[in-house]
């Protein structure tokens, strides 16, 4: 695990940008394209705005999402909508390179199955294989959840699919599964806010409780794991 402590969110964002850019360009050099699974929430919004100001080879970059709230794509709570506003609508990325998770009018189960099929087709997967993203960007809630993998929910047990239905209380969400996240070549957590301090301590403990703090279950198999952490989290 690589840990970078940042004094503020702006520095954290700059660190994330540099790390992602390095991985994106390396992936394009090696395989002609780069695949990213994006996070929602407030912390990465500034990062997406900074990415939009870059001159990257957009036609060689494909973006997916690690999770999505089950709302229409133009809803204010949509991770996809936030990313479009902050980044994607500001650059000349081909529409075919943008792969949002489907939501309504499908049922959550049908939407998860549809995204699973899209991943299988894009990555040319054989039965039992998982997609391998070049970069996976994650956040963490003050309860230790990441993507839409919440404590003590059924989604934590799904190990035979790339996509499943997560549950935040009564609210269904779509999420990549733990095996999918652990196949990432570079997994980056961006964590800001003093309210995350307790969860961060538990997640990074020597023997964490993954059922209680799901972010602890993200341990890439052969990929790099980065925790970019605002210093207020360590000021316990």
């Amino acid at each position: 695990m690589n840990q970078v402590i940042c004094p503020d969110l702006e520095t954290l964002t700059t660190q994330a940008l540099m790390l992602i850019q390095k991985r994106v360009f390396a992936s394009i050099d090696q395989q002609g394209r780069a695949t990213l699974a994006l996070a929602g929430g407030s912390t990465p919004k500034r990062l997406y705005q900074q990415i939009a100001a870059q001159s990257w080879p957009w036609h060689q970059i494909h973006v997916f999402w690690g999770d999505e709230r089950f709302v229409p794509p133009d809803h204010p709570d949509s991770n996809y909508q936030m990313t479009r506003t902050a980044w994607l609508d500001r650059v000349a990325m081909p529409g075919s390179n943008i792969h949002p998770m489907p939501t309504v009018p499908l049922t959550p189960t049908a939407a998860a199955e549809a995204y699973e099929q899209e991943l299988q087709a894009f990555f040319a997967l054989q039965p039992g294989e998982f997609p391998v993203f070049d970069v996976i960007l994650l956040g963490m809630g003050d309860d230790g959840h990441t993507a839409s993998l919440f404590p003590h929910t059924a989604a934590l047990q799904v190990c035979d699919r790339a996509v499943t239905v997560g549950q935040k209380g009564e609210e269904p969400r779509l999420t990549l599964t733990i095996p999918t996240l652990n196949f990432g070549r570079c997994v980056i957590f961006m964590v800001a806010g003093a309210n995350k301090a307790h969860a961060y301590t538990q997640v990074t403990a020597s023997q964490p409780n993954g059922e209680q703090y799901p972010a602890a279950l993200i341990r890439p198999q052969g990929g790099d794991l980065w925790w970019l952490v605002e210093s207020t989290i360590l000021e316990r």
Side-chain angles (χ1 to χ4, degrees):
M1 182 184 88
N2 304 285
Q3 182 191 66
V4 180
I5 308 302
C6 304
D8 50 43
L9 180 58
E10 194 68 17
T11 305
L12 191 157
T13 299
T14 300
Q15 290 289 328
L17 176 64
M18 291 190 299
L19 181 56
I20 292 169
Q21 178 170 283
K22 179 180 178 181
R23 295 297 179 137
V24 163
F25 278 74
S27 296
I28 290 172
D29 287 343
Q30 293 165 9
Q31 57 201 25
R33 74 182 187 193
T35 55
L36 291 78
L38 305 178
S42 58
T43 303
K45 183 176 181 179
R46 178 61 183 145
L47 169 65
Y48 298 157
Q49 293 170 335
Q50 289 197 9
I51 292 176
Q54 309 305 309
S55 296
W56 290 1
W58 304 115
H59 64 289
Q60 293 175 282
I61 297 171
H62 287 259
V63 294
F64 299 80
W65 275 260
D67 75 315
E68 183 58 273
R69 296 175 173 90
F70 207 73
V71 295
D74 59 352
H75 193 281
D77 292 339
S78 166
N79 291 338
Y80 168 70
Q81 172 67 8
M82 182 274 283
T83 310
R84 287 211 75 102
T85 302
W87 166 13
L88 301 176
D89 286 346
R90 301 183 180 190
V91 302
M93 182 179 289
S96 58
N97 289 25
I98 300 171
H99 307 267
M101 287 180 160
T103 55
V104 293
L106 298 175
T107 66
T109 299
E113 291 174 353
Y115 208 55
E116 179 99 25
Q117 292 171 5
E118 180 169 359
L119 295 179
Q120 289 172 348
F122 181 88
F123 287 95
L125 301 178
Q126 299 298 316
E129 291 183 336
F130 287 86
V132 178
F133 290 98
D134 297 309
V135 176
I136 297 176
L137 188 63
L138 295 172
M140 184 186 71
D142 58 9
D143 61 353
H145 87 269
T146 191
S148 281
L149 299 163
F150 290 90
H152 303 292
T153 56
L156 302 182
Q157 309 304 323
V158 177
C159 58
D160 59 347
R161 297 191 301 278
V163 187
T164 192
V165 178
Q167 203 75 30
K168 182 181 182 183
E170 298 300 314
E171 175 189 332
R173 298 188 178 190
L174 301 179
T175 186
L176 298 183
T177 60
I178 290 166
T180 306
L181 298 178
N182 280 333
F183 271 105
R185 291 191 174 97
C186 179
V187 180
I188 303 168
F189 278 90
M190 294 179 67
V191 186
N195 61 320
K196 312 282 182 67
H198 176 73
Y200 183 72
T201 299
Q202 298 300 315
V203 166
T204 56
S206 58
Q207 294 183 314
N209 181 344
E211 278 287 319
Q212 181 65 43
Y213 300 95
L217 299 172
I218 310 308
R219 309 242 173 169
Q221 309 167 8
D224 293 335
L225 176 61
W226 290 82
W227 282 84
L228 308 183
V229 182
E230 191 180 31
S231 60
T232 55
I233 289 176
L234 305 181
E235 297 169 1
R236 298 185 285 275

